[in-house]
Amino acid sequence: MIQIAVRFLVGGAVVSIFAIIGDLLKPKSFAGLFGAAPSVALATLGLTVATEGTLYAATEARSMMGGAIAFFAYASCVSWVMMRYEIEAVWITVCALPLWLGIVFAL
């Protein structure tokens, strides 16, 4: 229970810091990029180092990087298909999920 409370507090503080950074940057469309994912990842890695050690945290960090690479490929594919063809977003996002999962498991 204490770990969840610490994760909540650290995550909230880091989210606030990233939100301030995003608010200072131009254009404002970048603000959302700095909102949640980086701060949650940093809070999780910090707690993992404290509780499980650096070796386990390094494995988690590599997994996070693999997920980010797979998400980039997925988002690029979805945006390309949506710009090229007139397909509803819900269909292409659902149909492209195997691409994301395939890249994640391959990495």
Side-chain angles (χ1 to χ4, degrees), residues 4-105:
I4 292 173
V6 170
R7 188 174 294 203
F8 175 77
L9 292 173
V10 171
V14 178
V15 164
S16 298
I17 291 169
F18 275 103
I20 291 169
I21 292 170
D23 198 34
L24 295 174
L25 293 176
K26 304 282 190 253
K28 292 298 179 194
S29 60
F30 284 123
L33 294 174
F34 295 100
S39 55
V40 172
L42 289 175
T44 300
L45 285 176
L47 286 171
T48 303
V49 168
T51 58
E52 302 290 333
T54 56
L55 188 61
Y56 189 81
T59 303
E60 275 196 3
R62 280 192 297 271
S63 299
M64 288 178 188
M65 289 188 294
I69 291 167
F71 179 72
F72 176 77
Y74 166 80
S76 298
C77 174
V78 167
S79 63
W80 181 81
V81 169
M82 287 183 66
M83 286 187 298
R84 183 130 171 123
Y85 306 103
E86 291 185 21
I87 299 175
E88 290 185 39
V90 69
W91 295 114
I92 186 59
T93 54
V94 170
C95 291
L97 281 176
L99 172 69
W100 186 358
L101 293 172
I103 294 172
V104 164
F105 287 119

